[in-house]
């Protein structure tokens, strides 16, 4: 008997069909963020990263242009089991020689290379307007700026991005999740908290007045509790964005980034709360550490619990999963691969959990037994299921770093 066959028997005792779990896991799309590959630099300007986010570290080999970034994404994806989408930021527009369009003037053609790349690989594309790292940000503000011209510039950017998101959906045949996140906020105690939020609300209204088919283009609003340099206040707080999404359910979704809440709040608990009200929602899966929201995702308790809730709530088709982290202190391809695989492990683990049995124990108030079964489940041979899953997907189940090390030696180290 192989290790998989023996593991399969053990899981069967809990009523779990591991073949079905593997099959299901293969089908859940996870959106791979392009911005891990170049420390969120983008291609449209030379300036520094702003908006309250930061990358730290200067590991060699960062992608310097579209060719390198796409090659690196390909390498990373070759080590990831399961279904991928790619997640592109507007600052990653690819201009032909000498050409340039500012963010308010971006057009679908500036993203044609991304579409070609996605189509050749059968991938969907998600999209993000980029409201950071740009000279038109006035005093740290974009859509909330008291200056009308500044606001309008960014509204035009948002509208241009809806048109581009629509182009992605049309070309790839997959819906495009288009996430609105702004870093607007204040370092110190504001004198007016509501004003910027009212302007933000009106600005999102204006962006979403651009026509789109909500089945194809799915705008989201992402909240954040604070950013670097905007410690006292962010306009797009949790209450603001969630209320906006709730009040505009016919045209946008709430997006939760699990690095954007107070440290003892957990997104795993918020998922089932939101599912009671929203047909669909979106996630940025990340790993928060103290003040930072963007560490590489690992196979830790909260990642497992997020996946558990998606599976337990039977919400695989209702939760749009994307990754969002950026670490410049380690091999960037390894960061992508480890993060993506961690979410896959968490999903596989959730699919291999006897949820119906555990729910029954809860509903019949057998809490001691429920606890003991939950603890037993932690010792089940998930590694053997993972091994089989990776085998079927044609990727290594472990030791994937050797492959990355080789790529580093052959390509990355030659970039500096
Ligand atoms: C920042 C938000 C946002 C960004 C990306 C690059 O805190 O999480 O989603 O990370 O848009
Ligand atoms: Zn995010």
């Amino acid at each position: 008997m192989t290790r998989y066959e023996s593991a399969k028997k053990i899981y069967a005792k809990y009523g779990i069909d591991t073949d079905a779990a593997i099959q299901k896991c293969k089908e859940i799309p996870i959106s791979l963020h392009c911005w891990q590959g170049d420390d969120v630099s983008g291609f449209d300007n030379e300036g520094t990263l702003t908006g309250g986010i930061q990358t730290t570290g200067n590991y060699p080999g960062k992608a310097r242009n579209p060719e390198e970034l796409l090659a690196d994404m390909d390498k990373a994806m070759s080590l990831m089991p399961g279904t991928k989408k790619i997640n592109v930021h507007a600052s990653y527009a690819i201009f032909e020689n000498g050409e340039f369009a500012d963010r308010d003037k971006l057009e679908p053609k500036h993203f044609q290379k991304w579409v070609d790349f996605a189509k050749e690989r059968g991938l969907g594309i998600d999209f993000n307007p980029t409201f950071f790292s740009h000279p038109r940000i006035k005093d740290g503000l974009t859509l909330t700026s008291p200056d009308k011209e500044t606001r309008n510039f960014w509204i035009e950017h948002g509208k241009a991005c809806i048109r581009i998101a629509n182009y992605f959906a049309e070309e790839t045949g997959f819906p495009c999740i288009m996430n609105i996140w702004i870093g607007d906020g204040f370092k110190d105690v504001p004198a007016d908290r509501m004003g910027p939020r009212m302007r933000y609300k009106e600005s999102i209204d204006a962006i979403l007045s651009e026509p789109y088919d909500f089945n194809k283009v799915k705008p989201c609003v992402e909240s954040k509790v604070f950013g670097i340099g905007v410690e006292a206040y962010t306009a797009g707080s949790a209450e603001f964005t969630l209320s906006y999404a709730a009040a505009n359910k016919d045209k946008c979704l709430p997006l939760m980034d699990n690095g954007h809440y107070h440290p003892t709040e957990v997104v795993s608990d918020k998922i089932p709360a939101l599912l009671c009200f929203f047909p669909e929602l979106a996630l940025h899966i990340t790993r928060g550490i103290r003040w930072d929201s963007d560490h590489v995702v690992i196979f830790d308790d909260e990642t497992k619990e997020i996946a558990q809730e998606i599976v337990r709530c039977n919400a695989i088709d209702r939760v749009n999963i994307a990754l969002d982290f950026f670490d410049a202190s380690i091999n960037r391809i390894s960061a992508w691969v480890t993060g993506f695989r961690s979410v896959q492990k968490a999903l596989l683990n959730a699919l291999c959990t006897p949820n119906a049995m555990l729910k029954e124990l809860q509903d019949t108030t057998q809490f001691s037994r429920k606890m003991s079964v939950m603890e037993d489940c932690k010792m089940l041979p998930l590694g053997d299921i993972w091994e089989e899953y990776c085998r079927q997907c044609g990727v290594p189940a472990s030791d994937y770093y050797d492959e990355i090390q080789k790529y580093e030696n052959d390509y990355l180290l030659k970039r500096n």
Side-chain angles (χ1 to χ4, degrees), residues 179 222 255 257 260 284 294 324:
N179 180 45
E222 177 184 13
L255 184 146
D257 178 313
H260 290 186
H284 272 181
D294 304 299
D324 184 14

Side-chain angles (χ1 to χ4, degrees), residues 9-225:
K9 282 204 171 142
I10 297 171
Y11 277 97
K13 281 193 239 152
Y14 288 83
I16 296 159
D17 176 349
T18 54
D19 291 335
I22 286 174
Q23 191 47 42
K24 191 77 223 162
C25 201
K26 283 182 197 167
E27 294 163 7
I28 307 173
I30 299 176
S31 198
L32 184 68
H33 55 313
C34 72
W35 52 93
Q36 163 59 56
D38 71 340
D39 312 338
V40 209
S41 305
F43 308 134
D44 73 344
N45 69 73
E46 310 277 82
T48 49
L49 180 58
T50 66
I53 52 177
Q54 227 170 60
T55 50
T56 49
N58 55 357
Y59 198 85
K62 145 179 171 170
R64 297 164 301 181
N65 52 49
E67 293 68 37
E68 290 177 355
L69 187 68
L70 293 175
D72 291 358
M73 283 183 100
D74 255 340
K75 184 71 215 176
M77 286 191 286
S78 75
L79 295 167
M80 298 167 181
T83 303
K84 297 118 206 157
K85 272 184 113 178
I86 52 174
N87 204 354
V88 179
H89 241 286
S91 53
Y92 290 77
I94 301 178
F95 301 115
E96 297 303 331
N97 298 338
E99 184 196 22
F100 176 74
D102 210 347
R103 296 221 183 132
D104 59 331
K105 299 272 174 354
L106 286 171
E107 292 175 50
K109 67 174 184 193
H110 303 125
F111 295 86
Q112 197 206 312
K113 290 228 168 84
W114 284 104
V115 165
D116 295 343
F117 178 84
K119 279 167 94 173
E120 276 162 27
R121 291 154 186 77
L123 308 170
I125 313 182
D126 293 328
F127 195 47
N128 308 260
T130 312
F131 297 104
F132 53 82
S133 306
H134 191 278
R136 289 299 298 268
I137 297 166
K138 196 163 184 258
D139 307 316
L141 306 178
T142 62
L143 293 176
T144 74
S145 173
D147 175 49
K148 194 159 194 303
E149 257 184 61
T150 300
R151 258 183 357 258
N152 281 342
F153 175 87
W154 291 106
I155 289 169
E156 287 308 315
H157 174 54
K159 289 180 165 184
C161 287
I162 294 217
R163 297 190 289 271
I164 295 159
N166 184 57
Y167 162 69
F168 287 156
E170 293 291 344
E171 289 288 327
T172 63
F174 295 99
C176 175
I177 306 294
M178 195 202 87
N179 180 45
I180 297 174
W181 171 74
I182 60 170
D184 293 31
F186 299 113
K187 184 181 176 72
D188 223 319
V189 186
D192 175 17
R193 289 186 166 89
M194 189 169 160
R197 287 184 176 139
M198 284 305 292
R199 291 192 287 273
Y200 190 17
K201 177 172 177 253
E202 280 159 24
S203 296
I204 311 173
D205 286 344
I207 292 172
L208 301 187
S209 73
E210 182 71 22
Y212 57 92
D213 174 351
F214 192 33
N215 293 310
K216 292 182 184 162
V217 173
K218 303 187 181 187
C220 305
V221 277
E222 177 184 13
S223 70
K224 193 166 183 178
V225 63

